[in-house]
Structures are given as structure tokens and as C-alpha cells.
Amino acid sequence: MKTLPYDKAKIEEIAKTHPTPFHIYDEAGIVAAAQRLQRAFQWNAGYKEYYAVKACPNPAILRLLHDQGCGMDCSSLTELMLCERLGIVGEDIMFSSNDTPAEEFAYARRLGALINLDDFSHIDFLKDNGGIPETVCLRYNPGGEFRLGNTIMGNPGDAKYGMTRPQIFEGVKVLRAYGAKRFGLHAFLASNTTDNAYYPSLAAELFQLAADLHRELGVEIAFVNLSGGVGIPYRPEEEPADILAIGRGVREQYEKILVPAGLDHVAIKTELGRYMTGPYGSLVSRVLHIKNTYKQYVGLDACAANLMRPAMYGAYHHITVLGKEDAPCDHVYDVTGSLCENNDKFAVDRALPKVEIGDLMAIHDTGAHGFAMGYNYNGKLRSAELLLHANGEVELIRRAETPADYFATLDFTHLF
Ligand SMILES: *Cc1c(COP(=O)(O)O)cnc(C)c1O
């Protein structure tokens, strides 16, 4: 059962001041997710969540999460600048970038961010662009396939991220020679998984690596960063991840591997994006057209430029026709946007109640990797973002783009 924190009357009221389409985020849901996560890892003294800024890079959302004790995981110059503008600096930032430009390393070092190195060659690159900090993190890639039981969860061997085990060992030696004193270890091996065994089994792999590094090189391991990847139930029949069980599973591995290795002060870090905000956002759009040809089409006033995941990955996003929550889903539609691109469909062959022009649709679970992946293809403009506060008030936290924004990077004067 998929629910929404508003009904049709509330959205019609909002739409009087904020025309569709817009993404709307649920403050209470985001705060509750942050608190659940903190509870799951409260057994670990140094635990900290670094919210993956790329998932929803809106200052109001970042502020909300920072107020809940979260740091920020950044991977670009503008993400660093967003944090800086909010006064979120120093070790409240984890800079987990890859293919990193020189000035971004230098900028992250100026802010005092924790640096997570994606590649062996980045050690000297960082030394020359910002310098080597006393605490530094290395991103591990074990190669091959990542399995939970018989299920292949990811393909690290094909992924561009991280370093091999020999590179991690050599990297730690080089970094130590350059003055680093404490080390973090990071890996991201599966995306969007609700399997409660993912984090514990990733943790076991990183804890073992930490124990081996500590034993063989005598280095201090400050933290293990489990990164992102905990998923959400996009489909109504899917079960959510049980974050408390996940926290317990990580603790078991901690006590089994780290504690006997003499590493009982290692802090756990996470960089969850989707889990934190994904379910607590939705894209609200109005039906502009109904079209009947070989199939039945519903044409919305939003398009893939506002939510790319269905077009890009064939991802399922649940759709509720507001005010028709209890009507039978006895019609089948493709729900489309207006791009000149046949992939621009929010749903294909979706059973819905009978849809009429003017109906409002809520496309669920757009709170992470939703607005953020927006783009300007076909000259389409990014929508507004709204925050539904716990007290029911609605705040505009990003205005919609206008044609003037689209034209802002163009200069016509030299053409005349
Ligand atoms: C994208 C990303 C995350 C967040 O991933 P989610 O699937 O949203 O949890 C965390 N860390 C890094 C390095 C990432 O690239």
C-alpha cells in the first residue's frame, strides 16, 4: 500500500499558488527516516550519516538533515559550495568523488572535508592539489561479482570506482609516508537493495580489510564508510528495508571481526541518499491530454526532464490519481510527458482508474534522484520544489525555472 502525506483538496489548494508540475517533500517523513537510522547505529559511538547531496541537492532539505545530526556526502564543486553556503564544513563533509578535477580537491581541503580517494593515482594528485590530510579514506573495489547467497547484487569488476586490494595496501603505505595518520575505508557494491543482508555483508568485507591493514601495516583505522545503496520499495508489493535489523547485522560483524582484531574504536559512517529522502517526495502533475490510438495515452504537464528514472532505467514509480484512490484500476494507460523522445513515459501499460483531463497525478518516490537528475532537453524547464512542513504549511524551496533561466547562458549580441 503506497500512501501520500496529502490529499487532492490539499494539492488543489497548493496549485493555486504553485502551478503544476512540482516536486513536494514531506518534512515529517524525512525527519523520521533520519531518526530511525540514528537509532539503528546508536551502538557505535562515532557513527555518522553523510547524506548523499546528489540525491536531493536542495538547501532546505540539507538543512533539515543537518539539524538531525547528518553530515553531507559531496562529489562535485557545486555540492561543496552548497554545503559551505549552509555553514556545513570540516568533517561534516565527506568528499566521495571520482575522476576529480584538481580545483575540487583543493576546494574540499580548504573546507576541511574528509577526503575519500577513488584511485591510487589520486594520492599524488591530492598531494599536489590541496595536500594530504592526517585522516584520509580509500575507496575499495573487490572486483568480480558481489553476491548475497546465490543472488548477484552487483558487478564491482565492471565498476569504474575504487581500488584493488594491492592498491589499497600500497596506497596506505604511500599516504603514511606523506604524513597521513588515520585511515577510513569505503566501498559501494550494490545499489537500491532492500535486502537486509547487504550492509552487514559489505561491512564484513570492509572490516576484514581493516583488520588485515591494521595487522600487516600497524596503521590506525578511524572509520569504515558503508556508503549508500540501501533501497526503498518502489512497488506497492515490495517490503521496505528494516534499518534496525540492518544496524544489528552490522554490529554482529563488528563484534565478530573488528573487536577481536583490537579495532574496537572504529566509527561507522554511511552515505545514504535514497533511503533518507526517496519515499518522502513525489512529483505532482496535471493531465493535459488523453490520446487513443493503438494504445491509450495520458499526457501530463511533467516530462522525463522532471523525473528521468523511468526513461533511463525503466524504473517503476507508483502513480496515484488524486481523488480516485478508491476507484477500481480498470483502465490501462501509458503515462507520458511531452518530450520528442518515445522513452518519455512515466509508466507503460499501467492499470489506473479512468483518467480525465485536469486530473492530478502523484508520481511516488521522487525524493531522491528525482528533481536532481533533471535536465533541459527540448528546452524543457525544471519544476519548482516544495516542502510540506510537519504542521501542514507549504514552503517554496526552489522556484520553477523560467525561459530567462534557459537563456541566461546564451549571448545573442555577437550574432547581429
Ligand atoms: C550515489 C552515491 C551515494 C548514495 O546512494 P543511494 O543509492 O542514494 O543511497 C552514496 N555514496 C556515493 C559515493 C554515491 O555515489
Side-chain angles (χ1 to χ4, degrees), residues 52 54 73 96 139 186 188 227-229 271-274 369:
K54 72 165 190 260
D73 162 33
S96 288
R139 184 167 185 166
H186 168 280
F188 191 160
S227 191
E271 299 173 339
L272 294 172
R274 196 184 314 269
H369 315 298

Side-chain angles (χ1 to χ4, degrees), residues 49-55 73-75 94-98 116 118 139 161 186-188 190-193 199 225-231 234 270-278 368-369:
E49 151 74 358
Y50 291 84
Y51 177 66
V53 170
K54 72 165 190 260
D73 162 33
C74 298
S75 64
M94 183 76 68
F95 189 54
S96 288
S97 60
N98 69 93
N116 183 15
D118 180 67
R139 184 167 185 166
Y161 307 108
H186 168 280
F188 191 160
S191 191
N192 187 29
T193 173
Y199 253 14
N225 181 347
L226 300 176
S227 191
V230 175
Y234 284 100
T270 55
E271 299 173 339
L272 294 172
R274 196 184 314 269
Y275 179 81
M276 303 299 283
T277 55
H369 315 298

Side-chain angles (χ1 to χ4, degrees), residues 96-156:
S96 288
S97 60
N98 69 93
D99 189 20
T100 314
E103 59 275 19
E104 298 194 8
F105 270 141
Y107 204 98
R109 287 288 287 127
R110 267 205 305 285
L111 294 183
L114 286 165
I115 308 287
N116 183 15
L117 291 171
D118 180 67
D119 186 39
F120 185 80
S121 70
H122 289 6
I123 296 170
D124 276 311
F125 196 70
L126 176 64
K127 182 165 165 278
D128 296 339
N129 296 284
I132 303 292
E134 288 201 347
T135 305
V136 63
C137 186
L138 294 92
R139 184 167 185 166
Y140 175 49
N141 182 331
E145 285 166 348
F146 178 71
R147 290 169 183 266
L148 290 179
N150 290 325
T151 316
I152 299 173
M153 303 295 291
N155 256 306

Side-chain angles (χ1 to χ4, degrees), residues 5 23-27 30 55-56 58 61 277 280-282 366-368 370-372 384-389 397:
H23 287 265
I24 182 163
Y25 306 113
D26 172 24
E27 176 181 47
I30 293 171
C56 190
N58 187 294
I61 302 296
T277 55
Y280 316 111
S282 45
T366 70
F371 176 94
E385 292 178 289
L386 308 178
L387 181 59
L388 175 61
H389 286 284
I397 58 173

Side-chain angles (χ1 to χ4, degrees), residues 14 17 21 143:
I14 294 168
T17 5

Side-chain angles (χ1 to χ4, degrees), residues 9 174 193 324 381:
V174 172
T193 173
K324 298 184 177 177
L381 303 173

